Amino acid sequence: MVSPCKIKEGAVEYSIGKFDGRTVVYDFPKILIYLNAKGKLLFGKDFKIYDEDHDILLKLSHYYIRDFENCKKHGIEPDKGLLLSGPVGCGKTSLMKLLRHIVPHQRPYQIIPSRNVVFAFNHIGYRTIEDYGNGPFFCFDDLGVEPMGRHFGKDCNVLGEILLSRHELFIKHGIKTHATTNLNAQELEELYGNRVRSRMRELFNLVAFDGRSGDKRQ
């Protein structure tokens, strides 16, 4: 049996916990070692895990490994999706790309730039809303900075409509949706309206970087 807490990257095997044949006990320092190594493979040799991000990484790790006890302490519901918020350049997208690798046995989600969804709508039309609203396992990146959609002269708040469909998908089938955003709750409500914002509360766990987090791309 392949242990769910052993992950092979090339010739190197990383252990991120202990498996007794029934349950896994994860080890956060070992998870950090793996994430740092995997980050360098994904994003280049200059990638690093910053000390100031350990708290948010701990919360997110508990979510991904479905550590129910610690999720409860953080006010996180493992069956809901993630809305990861924070300033520009703090590393939101990188973490969403990276953390899914600590649970290789779970089906991965696609990370889709929100603006690309709108560009697809402008070209294809309402089928785009159906495709992204009903398809499984998406993370919408940079939610809230996408332009208004326009198809054959009609304006559409594309991501707002998709989020309404994703909420229905979640309620009926338990399929999660993830997103990253630079905006706060008030800004999201102004952009998408109270109805969508209300659905987002049911759809997402809000996990936020410290507002003072620096731009790591500089």
Side-chain angles (χ1 to χ4, degrees):
M1 180 186 291
V2 178
S3 172
C5 61
K6 292 189 184 297
I7 304 173
K8 202 160 188 179
E9 297 290 348
V12 181
E13 185 176 76
Y14 295 88
S15 174
I16 59 173
K18 292 181 180 178
F19 181 55
D20 64 8
R22 294 180 62 189
T23 58
V24 177
V25 178
Y26 287 93
D27 184 321
F28 184 60
K30 289 181 178 178
I31 288 176
L32 287 179
I33 290 170
Y34 170 69
L35 290 176
N36 203 53
K38 183 66 176 178
K40 291 183 189 305
L41 291 173
L42 290 175
F43 310 120
K45 60 182 176 58
D46 292 331
F47 176 85
K48 62 180 286 190
I49 298 288
Y50 290 82
D51 290 346
E52 63 263 30
D53 292 341
H54 282 193
D55 285 348
I56 199 164
L57 275 167
L58 183 62
K59 287 182 188 177
L60 292 170
S61 296
H62 287 152
Y63 171 83
Y64 277 91
I65 65 176
R66 296 179 67 80
D67 182 333
F68 294 100
E69 186 177 338
N70 278 302
C71 280
K72 189 174 181 180
K73 289 179 185 175
H74 298 310
I76 292 173
E77 297 181 42
D79 291 327
K80 290 166 62 169
L82 287 174
L83 177 60
L84 186 59
S85 73
V88 172
C90 67
K92 301 181 296 296
T93 307
S94 296
L95 289 191
M96 293 303 290
K97 289 178 177 178
L98 181 59
L99 277 151
R100 58 187 174 176
H101 290 283
I102 66 174
V103 283
H105 53 286
Q106 293 181 21
R107 185 170 173 178
Y109 46 82
Q110 294 182 61
I111 298 179
I112 310 289
S114 295
R115 63 200 304 268
N116 289 9
V117 177
V118 175
F119 294 154
F121 172 85
N122 294 346
H123 179 62
I124 298 169
Y126 286 87
R127 197 186 84 197
T128 303
I129 293 175
E130 186 177 331
D131 289 346
Y132 285 108
N134 297 323
F137 310 113
F138 290 119
C139 173
F140 298 106
D141 194 32
D142 273 340
L143 186 69
V145 299
E146 74 280 354
M148 180 67 71
R150 190 169 180 82
H151 186 68
F152 282 110
K154 291 186 177 181
D155 289 341
C156 179
N157 192 325
V158 179
L159 267 297
E161 293 297 324
I162 288 172
L163 289 172
L164 290 174
S165 296
R166 300 297 303 179
H167 175 264
E168 190 173 332
L169 195 66
F170 172 66
I171 295 299
K172 287 184 176 178
H173 303 291
I175 293 176
K176 291 187 280 191
T177 303
H178 304 305
T180 72
T181 186
N182 304 329
L183 306 184
N184 60 36
Q186 182 62 38
E187 290 168 328
L188 288 169
E189 185 166 330
E190 288 173 6
L191 184 64
Y192 296 118
N194 181 259
R195 181 168 171 241
V196 174
R197 176 62 186 139
S198 174
R199 303 298 191 277
M200 289 174 72
R201 290 189 188 97
E202 295 181 44
L203 195 58
F204 295 121
N205 293 288
L206 176 60
V207 179
F209 276 85
D210 190 304
R212 295 166 295 180
S213 293
D215 189 340
K216 298 180 177 72
R217 295 179 294 200
Q218 292 181 348

